[in-house]
Amino acid sequence: SEQFSQELRLTSPSEGFVDYVVGLYYFNSELDGHNGQQGSFTLTASSPLASRYFNSHNESESAAIFGQARFHVT
């Protein structure tokens, strides 16, 4: 299993006419699985002993842009 995430954020000073936050977010994940199964029963008639191995690979990736602003009118 491997994963990586990063967030970059820019925030304004809080004393001005406008307060704001803007940013970027990135996430990436990879997962490899290797599973074995053994038993004495099988669905096929070719072998009295069944052995099966399953390999899986899953990836997930997401990205976002976000922002918020507040105006001080008084």
Side-chain angles (χ1 to χ4, degrees):
S1 175
E2 294 180 21
Q3 68 180 33
F4 172 79
S5 67
Q6 183 69 50
E7 180 177 290
L8 301 172
R9 191 183 297 195
L10 177 63
T11 305
S12 70
S14 61
E15 301 295 324
F17 174 68
V18 177
D19 294 338
Y20 63 86
V21 176
V22 294
L24 304 169
Y25 178 77
Y26 176 77
F27 174 79
N28 182 287
S29 175
E30 292 188 32
L31 175 64
D32 290 319
H34 309 285
N35 300 309
Q37 177 183 357
Q38 292 182 324
S40 58
F41 297 103
T42 180
L43 296 175
T44 62
S46 63
S47 173
L49 298 176
S51 294
R52 294 192 173 123
Y53 293 95
F54 304 96
N55 295 319
S56 63
H57 179 78
N58 297 305
E59 292 185 40
S60 177
E61 184 176 46
S62 63
I65 299 172
F66 60 90
Q68 176 179 335
R70 182 172 53 181
F71 295 91
H72 302 279
V73 294
T74 58

